[in-house]
Amino acid sequence: MSRRLVLLLAATCAVVVGNVYFPQALGPLVAAGLGVSAGSAALVATATQVGYAAGILLLVPLADRLPNRRLLVALLVCTGAGLFAVGCAPALGPLLAAGAFVGVSTVAGQVIAPMAVGLVPPERRGAMMGTLLSGSIGGMLLARTFGGALGELLGWRAPYLVAAVLALLLAVVLAVALPEAAPRRRGPWQAPPVQVLRLLRAEPELRRSCFYQATVFAGFSAVWTCLALLVAGPAYGLGAQAVGALALVGGVTMFCTPLAGRLVDRYGPDPVNLVCMVGGLIAAGVLAAGAGGGVSGAAALVAGTLLLDVAMQSGMVANQARVFALRADARGRLNTAYMTCAFLGGSAGSWSGAEVYGRAGWPGVCALTALLCGLALARHLAALRGMRHAGAADRG
């Protein structure tokens, strides 16, 4: 792969992943613009994430059967059309439906990942995943900033319309720049849910990686879904633009994930997972100090969100490296199973975070995040003990 092509694929990941995240900065603006409650407006982010999980489940397995260039271009065209529909939605109901469609179609990044990993040697897979994930992180961070700033300037519809134009432009560029590739898999067709269930049943390492990412990503989504509600509330009294500015601090994560990829290539995914889960627990405690507002509270939010971002994204590099090493002929379907579980966890985290925030405020959201990261850590420690015992038995 040429460096230019790698950068183009990373930029594509940035744009399509950003479509999932910039609605998180628009909740208060959508609530004011449509005359609905803040909790109802927060459902827009949840609907997009639910759609994203459905798109991964239903569409990403096609990467093992269809030429990737045609599939990527078709997905980007559908994404652009969906974003235009969201930007023109007259009420909350059509907005949620169109947002879910955007989520379903904006899965091009999940098609790119298995395609790119298949083009590099095994000892470079972690580094490749780190590079692509850096692009995704850049899109995630800039999307929140872009959404918050443009939304406050021109209204909540403007970010969706601009994102639609970007998606359609990328479709044109990829149609010209990407080489066509033959399908990697033949044979009888099975429905994607059947394929996912078969892989989850057959691969214990896949199940383990799915559980890690689902729990940690649920805590991450709970924090970012409720962060806009916190900073717009009485403790801070700020607007959506502040959420975007806070998200920019996480730009450090773009430099951490390539490092995490190199560490995975050198030491394996398990030590990286362990550090990331402990980091998520610490981040939840730091974030809890942000409930009181003021300078100290803002500093806690900055430090906590940065640490949580690094922990979640670096853990994803480790998990995907473990998953892609399982079966070379099924990377699209393995990624489908993994990312479906991850974004179902993220969707559950967005919903449960909003529910907990309404009942227990920001401290409750931080406690929820700590619980979820703790569950992942407990499962990981049990797996490490099992591997040590198995190794001792083999040596005996």
Side-chain angles (χ1 to χ4, degrees):
M1 293 180 68
S2 69
R3 181 172 179 80
R4 181 178 299 178
L5 182 56
V6 172
L7 293 176
L8 174 61
L9 294 178
T12 303
C13 290
V15 171
V16 297
V17 170
N19 294 331
V20 181
Y21 290 97
F22 76 75
Q24 292 178 342
L26 298 176
L29 298 176
V30 172
L34 295 180
V36 298
S37 68
S40 297
L43 292 175
V44 177
T46 302
T48 305
Q49 287 186 328
V50 170
Y52 194 65
I56 292 170
L57 177 63
L58 298 174
L59 300 180
V60 174
L62 297 176
D64 289 335
R65 286 184 170 269
L66 299 179
N68 288 160
R69 183 180 66 187
R70 298 181 201 174
L71 180 58
L72 288 171
V73 170
L75 289 173
L76 287 167
V77 170
C78 290
T79 298
L83 288 164
F84 271 120
V86 175
C88 299
L92 183 63
L95 174 59
L96 293 176
F101 178 79
V102 169
V104 169
S105 61
T106 192
V107 293
Q110 305 310 323
V111 174
I112 288 171
M115 176 188 72
V117 166
L119 298 176
V120 296
E123 65 272 13
R124 294 291 299 160
R125 288 174 185 161
M128 173 59 73
M129 290 308 306
T131 300
L132 294 179
L133 193 54
S134 289
S136 297
I137 293 167
M140 184 191 309
L141 300 176
L142 293 175
R144 293 193 185 105
T145 305
F146 152 81
L150 191 59
E152 288 205 342
L153 182 64
L154 299 176
W156 67 267
R157 299 179 188 274
Y160 286 100
L161 298 176
V162 173
V165 173
L166 288 175
L168 294 175
L169 286 175
L170 263 179
V172 174
V173 173
L174 290 179
V176 174
L178 275 183
E180 193 66 280
R184 293 188 295 272
R185 181 173 180 261
R186 304 289 184 181
W189 169 255
Q190 289 181 329
V194 174
Q195 299 177 43
V196 168
L197 292 174
R198 285 181 181 274
L199 284 171
L200 286 169
R201 183 175 62 185
E203 302 288 351
E205 291 294 273
L206 173 62
R207 294 196 298 270
R208 183 159 71 100
S209 298
C210 289
F211 182 79
Y212 294 166
Q213 196 62 31
T215 49
V216 176
F217 190 45
F220 174 89
S221 297
V223 165
W224 278 102
T225 297
C226 298
L227 190 61
L229 303 176
L230 174 68
V231 300
Y236 292 94
L238 301 174
Q241 193 169 359
V243 180
L246 182 60
L248 276 181
V249 177
V252 175
T253 315
M254 295 177 62
F255 304 98
C256 294
T257 50
L259 173 61
R262 291 192 291 272
L263 291 175
V264 169
D265 288 334
R266 183 172 183 180
Y267 299 108
D270 285 329
V272 176
N273 275 135
L274 179 61
V275 172
C276 292
M277 291 166 188
V278 172
L281 275 173
I282 296 173
V286 174
L287 284 166
V295 175
S296 61
L301 292 181
V302 170
T305 53
L306 175 58
L307 181 56
L308 186 61
D309 279 6
V310 171
M312 192 278 290
Q313 302 289 1
S314 298
M316 180 174 281
V317 174
N319 291 329
Q320 286 192 300
R322 183 188 295 111
V323 167
F324 286 141
L326 296 176
R327 288 178 54 183
D329 65 329
R331 290 194 180 109
R333 286 164 286 150
L334 288 166
N335 199 43
T336 295
Y338 171 75
M339 295 303 300
T340 299
C341 293
F343 275 88
L344 285 175
S347 301
S350 293
W351 175 81
S352 59
E355 291 293 314
V356 169
Y357 187 86
R359 291 169 170 77
W362 184 249
V365 174
C366 296
L368 173 65
T369 301
L371 173 63
L372 291 165
C373 292
L375 289 173
L377 179 60
R379 173 68 180 86
H380 189 52
L381 292 175
L384 294 179
R385 284 195 298 270
M387 285 186 282
R388 283 198 297 268
H389 292 159
D394 291 341
R395 289 191 297 271

